[in-house]
Amino acid sequence: MGDNKIRWGIVSTARIGVEKVIPGIQRSKTGVAHAIASRGKERAEQAARDLGIEKAYGSYEELLADPDIDAIYNPLPNHLHVPITKQAVEAGKHVLCEKPIALNAGEAAQLLDLPKDRLVAENFMVRAHPQWIKAREIVRSGALGELKAIQAFFSYFNDDPANIRNKPDIGGGALMDIGCYTMLAGRYFFEAEPERVVSLIDRDPAFGVDRITSALLDFGQGRQLNFTVSTQLTPYQRFNLVGTKKRLEIVIPVNAPQGEAVQIRLDDGSILGDGSMQSQIIAPCDQYAEMVDVFGRAITGEAPLPYGAADAVQNMKILDAIFASADTGGWVSVG
C-alpha cells in the first residue's frame, strides 16, 4: 500500500462509481482512487481527468494486472459481478463488489472457493451509515419494546428499454436492484435469518423484469418483514421498524444524501397522525466513504470484516427464495 493508504482500482465508468463510490474513496480515511478502467480507453481517460485519478486503462484485464493496486471496486452489471470478482481475487486483489453480488446463490457460492487471503464483500453501504447503526442500537436497547414488524417501501420510475435494470438476462428488475436493500433490513435489524418467504411479482410485459415485487419474510418468533419495491412507481423510500412500545422510522433509508444530515423518528403512538413523533438528527456523512473505510480497516487488519462472501451468498439465497415463491404461488423455505 502506498503512503499507508489502500490503492483502489475501479472497474468501469459506471454511474454509481463515478458519482458515488469514487468520491467516497477520495473522502475516505483509508483509500485513494489510483486507477480506473473501461472497455474504451478514451472513456477511462476522461473519467480519470474528471475525477483526478492517476491511471486509466482501456481494459479490465490491464487494470487487474497492475501490481500497484491493492483493491478493486466492481460496479459492473450484475451478470459480471462474479466473473470479474473472481479474476480480481485471482490477480491478488481484494474486492468490494456492487450488490447484488451474483445472479443467484449458486453463482455466488463460487466466491467461497477463492483464496482466503483476499477479502470479498458486497457493497451494502447502508450498513455503514450511522443512521442504520443508530437505529439498530435503539432496537438493541429495548426502547421499541420487542421489534416484531418491519415495513419497507422503495420505488423509482424507469421505463428506459436500454437501461440495464430493464434487462432480465443480466439481472435486472426491482428485486435485484432495490429489493435487496429491503430484504437486508430484516437481517440487519432482527439480527436473524428468515425461515420462509412468500411473494407476489408483477412483470413488465415488454421487458420481462419484475416491476413491482412484494414479499413477506417470516423470521420466526412472531417477527416479520414485509416490503414492496418497484421500478415503475413514484420515487419513494421509507422503512418502519415497529415494536411493542414504539416504532422507528428511517426517512431516507437507502439513498441518504452524501454529506448531509438525515433523521430517524421515534413515535410511541400516543397521539395519532405523528403527533407524538420525535426526531433524531444524524450528523452529515458519506456512507460510501464509511463503507470504504470498513473494508479498508479489514484489509489492513485493524478490524475484522463484518460481512464477507458467506454473507453475500446468504443474501442471494433469500432473493432466490422470493423469486421461487412468486413462481410457485406459495411459501418457500430459505435454504
Side-chain angles (χ1 to χ4, degrees):
M1 294 182 294
D3 300 323
N4 296 319
K5 285 203 170 186
I6 295 157
R7 294 165 297 197
W8 284 85
I10 296 88
V11 181
S12 98
T13 55
R15 182 177 176 182
I16 181 67
V18 169
E19 296 185 2
K20 300 293 185 180
V21 180
I22 294 173
I25 292 171
Q26 293 169 325
R27 296 186 187 109
S28 72
K29 298 174 183 176
T30 60
V32 58
H34 183 70
I36 188 168
S38 177
R39 290 301 189 194
K41 182 71 176 292
E42 291 183 3
R43 186 181 302 169
E45 289 175 337
Q46 184 61 57
R49 286 192 295 270
D50 292 344
L51 295 162
I53 297 173
E54 181 179 342
K55 296 180 182 180
Y57 291 109
S59 76
Y60 306 149
E61 292 75 18
E62 287 180 274
L63 183 142
L64 298 181
D66 185 338
D68 293 332
I69 293 173
D70 306 303
I72 297 294
Y73 166 61
N74 179 0
L76 291 166
N78 295 339
H79 70 299
L80 295 175
H81 284 176
V82 168
I84 298 300
T85 294
K86 288 175 63 179
Q87 290 180 36
V89 171
E90 289 163 357
K93 318 300 185 187
H94 305 279
V95 182
L96 182 63
C97 182
E98 264 311 321
K99 54 76 203 167
I101 208 158
L103 295 178
N104 53 60
E107 185 187 39
Q110 297 176 40
L111 303 175
L112 301 178
D113 297 326
L114 294 174
K116 302 301 186 230
D117 60 345
R118 291 297 178 266
L119 302 178
V120 174
E122 198 169 13
N123 188 31
F124 277 115
M125 73 294 175
V126 290
R127 291 188 293 204
H129 196 294
Q131 69 172 346
W132 277 55
I133 295 170
K134 180 62 176 178
R136 188 163 68 173
E137 288 175 355
I138 292 171
V139 171
R140 288 173 172 174
S141 75
L144 303 186
E146 292 183 73
L147 178 61
K148 289 293 188 179
I150 299 175
Q151 293 183 322
F153 199 102
F154 191 0
S155 60
Y156 61 83
F157 197 94
N158 178 357
D159 61 356
D160 178 6
N163 191 282
I164 60 172
R165 293 164 186 81
N166 288 322
K167 298 183 178 182
D169 56 327
I170 62 174
L175 182 61
M176 294 285 272
D177 189 40
I178 55 179
C180 55
Y181 288 110
T182 54
M183 169 276 298
L184 189 76
R187 297 188 66 210
Y188 186 85
F189 293 114
F190 284 134
E191 298 188 75
E193 300 297 339
E195 298 174 359
R196 57 179 185 154
V197 306
V198 67
S199 66
L200 178 65
I201 287 179
D202 173 54
R203 296 187 181 275
D204 184 284
F207 304 145
V209 297
D210 62 306
R211 59 184 176 185
I212 303 178
T213 292
S214 297
L216 176 64
L217 282 64
D218 177 8
F219 282 80
Q221 301 177 25
R223 299 170 299 180
Q224 57 183 256
L225 160 71
N226 67 80
F227 71 76
T228 295
V229 292
S230 176
T231 57
Q232 293 185 24
L233 289 177
T234 302
Y236 177 69
Q237 54 185 270
R238 193 68 51 92
F239 290 2
N240 266 293
L241 285 58
V242 186
T244 54
K245 295 180 179 178
K246 293 182 180 180
R247 72 175 177 92
L248 186 154
E249 182 179 296
I250 307 179
V251 179
I252 311 178
V254 178
N255 299 122
Q258 286 175 285
E260 296 183 24
V262 294
Q263 61 176 307
I264 57 176
R265 300 168 175 170
L266 286 169
D267 189 358
D268 65 6
S270 58
I271 304 175
L272 296 180
D274 300 338
S276 52
M277 182 177 286
Q278 296 181 329
S279 295
Q280 292 190 23
I281 302 301
I282 307 297
C285 83
D286 181 335
Q287 62 183 340
Y288 296 95
E290 297 291 334
M291 182 63 201
V292 166
D293 282 336
V294 168
F295 196 62
R297 287 190 290 269
I299 290 174
T300 60
E302 295 178 52
L305 183 65
Y307 307 101
D311 176 79
V313 172
Q314 177 63 14
N315 287 329
M316 292 310 308
K317 287 181 179 179
I318 299 168
L319 296 180
D320 286 354
I322 293 170
F323 277 126
S325 172
D327 290 339
T328 62
W331 286 95
V332 171
S333 297
V334 178

